[in-house]
Amino acid sequence: MEIPENILTECHEYGVAAYPEETCGFIIGNREVPDSLETVLPMRNIMNDLHEKDPAQYPRTARDGYVIDPLEQLKLERSLKKEGKEIKVIYHSHPDVGAYFSAKDKEDALWNGKARYPGVSFLVCGTTDGKPDGAIIADFNQDSGDFDITPVTVNSSAASGGLVGGTFGITGILPTIDFIHEWKNGNRELQYGYFRFVNHQHIKDLHAELCSRSGARYALTYCSGSAALFELLIYLRESLPNINLYFSSNSALSADGIQSLEISCKSLDLKNLIDPELLSAKNGDVLLLAMEAPELFVKENSEWLAKLKRQRVTVIFYSSNLQASDQWPVGLTFWISAISSPETATKHSGIEGGVILSNADRQIAELTETRKRNGSVLSARNAAVLLKMLKEEDTDLHDIAKLSGINKTWELSNPEQKITEKLCEWEHATAGFLFPSGMSAVHSVMNLLRKKSKNQVIVIGLMYSDSYNLLMSPGRSSRWEAEFVGLDELEKLDQIISENTAMIVTETITNPLVEVPDLNRIGDIASAHEVPFVVDNTIASPVNCQPIDYGADYVIHSTTKYLSGSNDHAGGVVLAKNSRNASAIENFRRCWGLRLSPLESTVLWECMQDFAERMARFNSNCTAVADFLSEHAAVDMVYHPSQSSHSSYFTAKKLLSGNGGVVSFTLKDESENALKIFHDKEFSSIIKAPSIGSNQTLICPYPMLTHYFDTDEDLREIKLPRHLIRVSVGCETEIEGILTDLDCALKRTIQ
Ligand code: PLP
């Protein structure tokens, strides 16, 4: 465990103050965040009192022992529970004997040979001659039945990030504004972050294993082998001036889907290989070789591959299984493989992944960027299971359920159908399809509807940053074009729509300005022109709005957000109004291999059970926060449609039955310094992390994360204040703690 420097210093200071006696107390952190260490709470050491009353039973004094006042501890534990906090560490000091875990410390920490406080660590701070003198941490090890002792490593960045959402958490803490600057300027790598942007530790571990098996320098995982292939082909199509694909198909890979990419494609015979002299990188020649035994092929055709290397021709292998190889084959640019174990195909169908392996630094860096936006990611939960399966042949269902933190065996009740049926009922849709992330759902609908012959996308309002980025970086060869229309410019729509219009797209409640477009009016115009109408309904949620009733053809959700709420699930869904739209999206998803893992759908289904109830609280809590902010002397603008000052107040009343859980605001003092004063100190009940729809309230300086490098003029154009603060209000049963946190932080900015 890493102890933030400020926390360790504080513990040492209490040790110095109590010297020559022992001090004791707790380090408190957020219950939802495993590594969070927020506050030091010193407790009364009652050792001297006990000794005085009964020296026979208590021979030690506070000079060489400690006992935490049990009444004080009980009271504290009750109040922590209410605040979503818990004791993470018990600390005490050792005057003049050095920092070590004594036999007495161990005896007190055990109960019948087991940890007395499971999950709690012990910190011992040395205090020699009244000065700090090292520290150790003792953690109970279930396997050995003893404590592991580690010298304390100090996290010198004082404010360290942490994972939110437990073992498979999907977002990370951004503790200070300077921390964000350091990250954005490339001076800090995030250890924990939003799942599409920062690889979870389970993904990193799987990447390392796949590299060591293939001899590749880089591995980039995807939700399936075909998703990996499609990502690579789209990347090549967008980055090369032109692409000529030579393609050898086999049972694992057919030409169907590839044709939908609008790439020129010739077939290739592996038994009668094309002369390398006829190929060149300049012509955009790319060879895609599907094969089951790449090792053998490499051995038999090493000269041919070496010649292709000299011609700088891109060579891709595609195999349905990764065979171990010590050395990366000469002449190979990318190796794409499905990730599975022999058991996956038979016993555990549905748990799958895909990987692009390569030694090409620049291309992998660029593919990493496109994967963030396209969202065809492998879930951390799947990565953990796949890694175990790769390493241990006899992984069974029980192991998988235990490892992935789900208490039911998913195979018995794969809930995909139940989820989509429920969502169709809520959204008045005909059919629904799950995707590995919200962005994968957005990207799929865009790709399905945009064609070379229909290349215009009309965007109403400011969409979520990655949807916006997807539209703004359409690539070199596609010639897609986005037309942005403000919510108050709908009268322009009739003129803008042309035979090139592929779709009109918007969000029911936009992120982060919380605006509500007039879906009814847009739906009428779209239908009059027979243009598909796509609505991202993530922030409103199916409880508050059914866009299909207003004419939407496709409705999208990131299930990572309200529908799950637990911060430990990633997924997305596309709901189709009619069966024609449904079969189009179903075919697309099948070809591109964009499936949601059954492990993720199991988690989602469990979380959806109390969704309507949670959403009612999201609505009411957020309105309470918006009202509170509107009244506060330190606040300038509040962006929430419950407020009569908000531009969408009337449209929201017309279209929504509730206003959702996102509220944004600006401070009266617009400076970055005021933002720091507001943001940087610890909150008690609010987590400083990006994402929305979390059951626990999250806060972030949104434009600093998503529009960091935009100029003031860029931001003015999209009406986005640089220092806007976005609160994703949670569904806590008590909102007082949230309001108190906000009040304290706001007051600091006007003191
Ligand atoms: N749509 C909206 C409105 C969002 O806010 C987000 C993410 O924040 C997405 C889509 C993308 O979802 P995901 O992060 O699950 O890919």
Side-chain angles (χ1 to χ4, degrees), residues 128-139:
T128 304
D129 295 331
K131 293 200 188 90
D133 181 21
I136 59 101
I137 197 110
D139 288 299

PDB file of all heavy atoms in Angstrom, residues 128-139:
ATOM      1  N   THR A 128      11.971   8.327  17.278  1.00  0.00           N
ATOM      2  CA  THR A 128      13.182   8.168  18.076  1.00  0.00           C
ATOM      3  C   THR A 128      13.681   9.541  18.504  1.00  0.00           C
ATOM      4  O   THR A 128      13.783  10.451  17.657  1.00  0.00           O
ATOM      5  CB  THR A 128      14.244   7.426  17.239  1.00  0.00           C
ATOM      6  OG1 THR A 128      13.660   6.186  16.818  1.00  0.00           O
ATOM      7  CG2 THR A 128      15.506   7.151  18.035  1.00  0.00           C
ATOM      8  N   ASP A 129      13.951   9.676  19.813  1.00  0.00           N
ATOM      9  CA  ASP A 129      14.367  10.982  20.366  1.00  0.00           C
ATOM     10  C   ASP A 129      13.397  12.084  19.964  1.00  0.00           C
ATOM     11  O   ASP A 129      13.793  13.217  19.648  1.00  0.00           O
ATOM     12  CB  ASP A 129      15.790  11.356  19.881  1.00  0.00           C
ATOM     13  CG  ASP A 129      16.832  10.392  20.414  1.00  0.00           C
ATOM     14  OD1 ASP A 129      16.583   9.845  21.518  1.00  0.00           O
ATOM     15  OD2 ASP A 129      17.827  10.163  19.720  1.00  0.00           O
ATOM     16  N   GLY A 130      12.139  11.742  19.930  1.00  0.00           N
ATOM     17  CA  GLY A 130      11.118  12.749  19.617  1.00  0.00           C
ATOM     18  C   GLY A 130      11.070  13.143  18.152  1.00  0.00           C
ATOM     19  O   GLY A 130      10.457  14.144  17.793  1.00  0.00           O
ATOM     20  N   LYS A 131      11.720  12.352  17.282  1.00  0.00           N
ATOM     21  CA  LYS A 131      11.701  12.693  15.847  1.00  0.00           C
ATOM     22  C   LYS A 131      11.174  11.499  15.050  1.00  0.00           C
ATOM     23  O   LYS A 131      11.368  10.347  15.461  1.00  0.00           O
ATOM     24  CB  LYS A 131      13.118  13.009  15.364  1.00  0.00           C
ATOM     25  CG  LYS A 131      13.684  14.264  15.951  1.00  0.00           C
ATOM     26  CD  LYS A 131      14.840  14.774  15.096  1.00  0.00           C
ATOM     27  CE  LYS A 131      15.527  15.924  15.782  1.00  0.00           C
ATOM     28  NZ  LYS A 131      16.626  15.519  16.653  1.00  0.00           N
ATOM     29  N   PRO A 132      10.563  11.776  13.880  1.00  0.00           N
ATOM     30  CA  PRO A 132      10.088  10.663  13.035  1.00  0.00           C
ATOM     31  C   PRO A 132      11.236   9.738  12.651  1.00  0.00           C
ATOM     32  O   PRO A 132      12.331  10.216  12.370  1.00  0.00           O
ATOM     33  CB  PRO A 132       9.546  11.373  11.789  1.00  0.00           C
ATOM     34  CG  PRO A 132       9.284  12.766  12.207  1.00  0.00           C
ATOM     35  CD  PRO A 132      10.262  13.085  13.291  1.00  0.00           C
ATOM     36  N   ASP A 133      10.973   8.438  12.689  1.00  0.00           N
ATOM     37  CA  ASP A 133      12.051   7.484  12.410  1.00  0.00           C
ATOM     38  C   ASP A 133      11.489   6.263  11.666  1.00  0.00           C
ATOM     39  O   ASP A 133      11.354   5.185  12.224  1.00  0.00           O
ATOM     40  CB  ASP A 133      12.703   7.068  13.735  1.00  0.00           C
ATOM     41  CG  ASP A 133      13.860   6.094  13.518  1.00  0.00           C
ATOM     42  OD1 ASP A 133      14.399   6.068  12.396  1.00  0.00           O
ATOM     43  OD2 ASP A 133      14.195   5.357  14.465  1.00  0.00           O
ATOM     44  N   GLY A 134      11.144   6.472  10.434  1.00  0.00           N
ATOM     45  CA  GLY A 134      10.713   5.366   9.561  1.00  0.00           C
ATOM     46  C   GLY A 134       9.316   4.858   9.900  1.00  0.00           C
ATOM     47  O   GLY A 134       8.713   5.245  10.909  1.00  0.00           O
ATOM     48  N   ALA A 135       8.796   4.026   9.020  1.00  0.00           N
ATOM     49  CA  ALA A 135       7.457   3.463   9.237  1.00  0.00           C
ATOM     50  C   ALA A 135       7.336   2.152   8.474  1.00  0.00           C
ATOM     51  O   ALA A 135       8.004   1.960   7.456  1.00  0.00           O
ATOM     52  CB  ALA A 135       6.400   4.454   8.743  1.00  0.00           C
ATOM     53  N   ILE A 136       6.514   1.269   8.995  1.00  0.00           N
ATOM     54  CA  ILE A 136       6.227   0.013   8.267  1.00  0.00           C
ATOM     55  C   ILE A 136       4.714  -0.163   8.175  1.00  0.00           C
ATOM     56  O   ILE A 136       3.962   0.409   8.962  1.00  0.00           O
ATOM     57  CB  ILE A 136       6.830  -1.245   8.944  1.00  0.00           C
ATOM     58  CG1 ILE A 136       6.289  -1.408  10.376  1.00  0.00           C
ATOM     59  CG2 ILE A 136       8.341  -1.207   8.944  1.00  0.00           C
ATOM     60  CD1 ILE A 136       5.214  -2.410  10.509  1.00  0.00           C
ATOM     61  N   ILE A 137       4.315  -0.979   7.219  1.00  0.00           N
ATOM     62  CA  ILE A 137       2.900  -1.306   7.118  1.00  0.00           C
ATOM     63  C   ILE A 137       2.763  -2.826   7.216  1.00  0.00           C
ATOM     64  O   ILE A 137       3.586  -3.560   6.669  1.00  0.00           O
ATOM     65  CB  ILE A 137       2.301  -0.712   5.817  1.00  0.00           C
ATOM     66  CG1 ILE A 137       0.779  -0.663   5.871  1.00  0.00           C
ATOM     67  CG2 ILE A 137       2.722  -1.433   4.581  1.00  0.00           C
ATOM     68  CD1 ILE A 137       0.262   0.713   5.985  1.00  0.00           C
ATOM     69  N   ALA A 138       1.774  -3.288   7.969  1.00  0.00           N
ATOM     70  CA  ALA A 138       1.567  -4.731   8.131  1.00  0.00           C
ATOM     71  C   ALA A 138       0.196  -5.092   7.556  1.00  0.00           C
ATOM     72  O   ALA A 138      -0.815  -4.500   7.940  1.00  0.00           O
ATOM     73  CB  ALA A 138       1.634  -5.106   9.607  1.00  0.00           C
ATOM     74  N   ASP A 139       0.201  -6.040   6.612  1.00  0.00           N
ATOM     75  CA  ASP A 139      -1.055  -6.467   5.976  1.00  0.00           C
ATOM     76  C   ASP A 139      -1.244  -7.956   6.211  1.00  0.00           C
ATOM     77  O   ASP A 139      -0.306  -8.736   5.984  1.00  0.00           O
ATOM     78  CB  ASP A 139      -0.995  -6.247   4.455  1.00  0.00           C
ATOM     79  CG  ASP A 139      -1.069  -4.791   4.105  1.00  0.00           C
ATOM     80  OD1 ASP A 139      -2.074  -4.170   4.446  1.00  0.00           O
ATOM     81  OD2 ASP A 139      -0.094  -4.292   3.497  1.00  0.00           O
TER      82      ASP A 139
END
